[in-house]
Amino acid sequence: MSAPSTTVTTSTTCRSCNAATGGAQFCPTCGKIQPLPRGADYFAFFGMPQKLVVDLAALEQRFHSLSWKLHPDRFARASEDERQLSLDLTSQLNDAYRTLRDPVARVEYLLSLSGMRKEGQKKQQAPPELLEEVFELNESLDELRETRATGGSAAQMTGLRAKLESAQHKFESALAGVDQELAGVSAEWDAALDASADESARNKLMERMNEVLNRRSYIRNLVNGVRQELAET
Ligand SMILES: [Zn+2]
């Protein structure tokens, strides 16, 4: 999270009464709004550990509560500085919530915090278990475009559509499989944190997550491509 312009402090003591704030948005002693400590991330914003299995109902509740407490309307008569802080923190709150409520964006974000998100040169390569399906799909797509361009018969088009729809289902189920895999690694990550796993173990898990994300993005592009082609047919 980039530091808002008004945030120059690196301490976690209240700007107003000097009491310890623990990095919270409001001083627990005097209740004044506080800038986020430098380097605070989205997880810290919600007072959460950097874990990947998230109780969405609790997250939503915290979001609504913070939204209300930080709302700029509540700072209409506050100092210019506090008004600006409420705007900055509200905007960061919205970004943080959007990211953390989505299981894929959440993993992407965790990896980006450690510089472990790497799109990779293999992005354009089909995952080995899908090679054959991808090959067939490309053939069907070529055939479809050619048939469309040369004005093929209705029966031909119907046959090709059916082929593409079946490919679409295959890739959608592959995508669901990858999402399950991501949920599995996410749970492993949380268990590793609970067990105070060392850096090398954590890095290995992050590399696996990165690989799953790359595979996911490849398959999602295929699904979207087929969907678009079918919509045009
Ligand atoms: Zn205070």
Side-chain angles (χ1 to χ4, degrees):
M1 188 183 308
S2 65
S5 52
T6 48
T7 306
V8 282
T9 177
T10 54
S11 71
T12 52
T13 52
C14 174
R15 301 188 306 166
S16 186
C17 75
N18 244 7
T21 66
Q25 291 88 349
F26 295 92
C27 170
T29 305
C30 72
K32 287 271 186 190
I33 191 168
Q34 305 293 320
L36 287 182
R38 188 168 304 219
D41 59 50
Y42 290 164
F43 294 95
F45 198 105
F46 281 96
M48 290 160 48
Q50 291 186 345
K51 286 190 176 180
L52 292 171
V53 180
V54 166
D55 177 346
L56 287 178
L59 182 74
E60 190 187 358
Q61 204 172 25
R62 185 102 181 95
F63 168 71
H64 287 307
S65 148
L66 279 170
S67 248
W68 181 76
K69 286 186 190 160
L70 293 169
H71 200 284
D73 284 356
R74 294 168 58 88
F75 295 86
R77 289 187 198 164
S79 68
E80 172 61 34
D81 184 44
E82 286 180 317
R83 252 202 328 271
Q84 189 56 49
L85 254 181
S86 101
L87 286 169
D88 289 343
L89 289 174
T90 294
S91 136
Q92 289 168 17
L93 172 68
N94 291 333
D95 290 346
Y97 182 55
R98 208 175 300 124
T99 303
L100 293 187
R101 75 178 165 186
D102 179 83
V104 177
R106 196 185 305 144
V107 175
E108 299 246 9
Y109 180 70
L110 177 80
L111 297 190
S112 74
L113 284 178
S114 328
M116 292 291 282
R117 180 71 186 110
K118 295 179 178 77
E119 304 268 339
Q121 314 90 329
K122 289 189 192 159
K123 209 180 168 188
Q124 300 308 320
Q125 276 173 28
E129 71 276 16
L130 289 176
L131 260 183
E132 202 178 316
E133 269 98 347
V134 172
F135 182 76
E136 277 173 26
L137 171 70
N138 286 331
E139 269 191 344
S140 301
L141 286 174
D142 284 347
E143 213 178 324
L144 179 81
R145 289 182 194 120
E146 202 182 309
T147 309
R148 197 189 282 145
T150 55
S153 72
Q156 261 179 315
M157 289 304 277
T158 307
L160 281 167
R161 268 194 79 92
K163 258 195 200 173
L164 282 182
E165 273 160 10
S166 129
Q168 188 182 11
H169 290 144
K170 259 185 222 158
F171 292 124
E172 273 167 0
S173 92
L175 194 59
V178 173
D179 282 343
Q180 266 184 349
E181 211 182 316
L182 193 63
V185 196
S186 294
E188 277 186 60
W189 167 263
D190 289 7
L193 285 197
D194 285 339
S196 312
D198 61 14
E199 197 183 340
S200 125
R202 279 185 282 133
N203 282 349
K204 265 186 201 138
L205 280 169
M206 287 203 264
E207 275 162 24
R208 266 175 63 202
M209 289 187 235
N210 187 61
E211 186 277 321
V212 175
L213 285 176
N214 282 345
R215 201 147 27 97
R216 188 184 190 282
S217 126
Y218 181 90
I219 299 171
R220 198 203 44 216
N221 285 343
L222 282 180
V223 169
N224 290 345
V226 178
R227 195 173 290 155
Q228 203 179 340
E229 202 69 49
L230 279 170
E232 284 170 20
T233 307

